[in-house]
Amino acid sequence: YYFTVNFTHENQKALELRTEDVKDCDEWVAAISHASYRNLATEHETLMQKYLHLLQIVETEKTVAKQLRQQIEDGEIEIERLKSEIAGLLKDNEKIHASPAAAPTDDDSEIKKIKKVQSFLRGWICRRKWKTIIQDYIRSPHAESMRKRNQVVFSMLDSEAEYVQQLHILVNNFLRPLRMAASSKKPPITHDDVSSIFLNRWVRSVSHKSSEE
């Protein structure tokens, strides 16, 4: 009775194994199906799905931020337009009420001073109101929840990047050299030892990663 073990890695040959009876064959297949490497592959797929989900959240946040910046820019343009319109109206009003033959009197100068003070006060009130709106939003529960969510998202992204980098170092600096050494003419270590060491290491890494989450 024969059964094969196929690997998803490139240039990795399939293993052909043989047993004396069907019972042993079934037991071997069941044991391999529930091996730690299978659990590791499942955990890796779950982590990749979480990573893609986080990327989608980040892209959504970027789009929302871009829309908010565009709204702010549009508001600034509208404010400048209104300022220029108000300035034009004030000039027209001054031309209408001005008498070209008459010399400026004290009353006219007082009225100009009053208008100037009123204009200053209106601008100050508008700026204070806008500042109050911004501060109220910053202190609002929605803004606080958005900040906390962003902190969690970026923390998870940093953790995933560090975890992937550690796996990359583990594979390139330790796993591959040991496998090459195990395939040499006088191997200092066997493939079974390499698999046992690194499968246990990956299982502990996955368990530690799950506990952190």
Side-chain angles (χ1 to χ4, degrees):
Y1 297 92
Y2 292 88
F3 63 94
T4 60
V5 180
N6 296 316
F7 299 93
T8 58
H9 302 288
E10 296 181 357
N11 300 325
Q12 184 72 31
K13 295 181 179 180
L15 299 178
E16 292 186 359
L17 304 176
R18 182 183 66 181
T19 60
E20 295 295 335
D21 53 30
V22 67
K23 182 179 179 181
D24 290 340
C25 182
D26 294 337
E27 289 178 355
W28 272 100
V29 172
I32 293 173
S33 298
H34 294 84
S36 59
Y37 182 80
R38 184 182 183 88
N39 296 332
L40 180 63
T42 303
E43 293 291 338
H44 181 267
E45 183 66 24
T46 303
L47 290 175
M48 288 302 297
Q49 292 178 359
K50 290 181 179 180
Y51 180 73
L52 294 175
H53 179 64
L54 290 175
L55 286 179
Q56 292 178 355
I57 293 176
V58 171
E59 292 298 329
T60 303
E61 293 295 333
K62 288 182 179 179
T63 303
V64 174
K66 184 177 180 181
Q67 292 176 354
L68 290 175
R69 285 195 296 269
Q70 185 64 37
Q71 291 178 1
I72 291 173
E73 291 176 358
D74 295 339
E76 291 176 351
I77 294 172
E78 183 66 18
I79 289 172
E80 293 297 329
R81 188 187 67 80
L82 291 175
K83 286 181 178 179
S84 61
E85 184 177 354
I86 291 172
L89 291 175
L90 290 175
K91 289 180 179 180
D92 294 339
N93 191 23
E94 289 177 357
K95 289 180 180 179
I96 293 173
H97 291 86
S99 176
T105 62
D106 294 337
D107 293 338
D108 294 335
S109 61
E110 291 295 329
I111 291 174
K112 288 181 179 180
K113 291 179 181 179
I114 292 172
K115 288 182 178 179
K116 187 174 182 180
V117 172
Q118 288 178 344
S119 177
F120 174 77
L121 290 176
R122 290 193 189 100
W124 179 77
I125 291 172
C126 291
R127 289 191 296 271
R128 187 180 66 174
K129 185 176 181 181
W130 179 253
K131 184 178 179 181
T132 303
I133 293 172
I134 296 298
Q135 290 178 349
D136 291 341
Y137 176 75
I138 292 173
R139 291 191 294 265
S140 66
H142 180 265
E144 183 66 23
S145 64
M146 292 292 291
R147 285 193 293 269
K148 290 181 178 179
R149 188 180 71 172
N150 291 337
Q151 290 176 357
V152 171
V153 168
F154 290 116
S155 177
M156 293 179 69
L157 283 175
D158 293 338
S159 299
E160 292 298 327
E162 182 180 0
Y163 177 64
V164 171
Q165 183 181 7
Q166 291 176 357
L167 287 180
H168 181 75
I169 294 172
L170 184 65
V171 171
N172 291 334
N173 296 343
F174 296 96
L175 177 60
R176 289 180 179 174
L178 286 177
R179 283 184 174 175
M180 292 176 64
S183 301
S184 62
K185 293 181 179 180
K186 295 180 179 181
I189 190 172
T190 63
H191 286 286
D192 292 337
D193 293 336
V194 175
S195 299
S196 177
I197 291 171
F198 285 94
L199 284 179
N200 291 333
R201 175 57 184 168
W202 287 342
V203 170
R204 287 196 296 270
S205 297
V206 172
S207 301
H208 180 66
K209 189 66 176 179
S210 301
S211 64
E212 287 182 352
E213 292 178 355

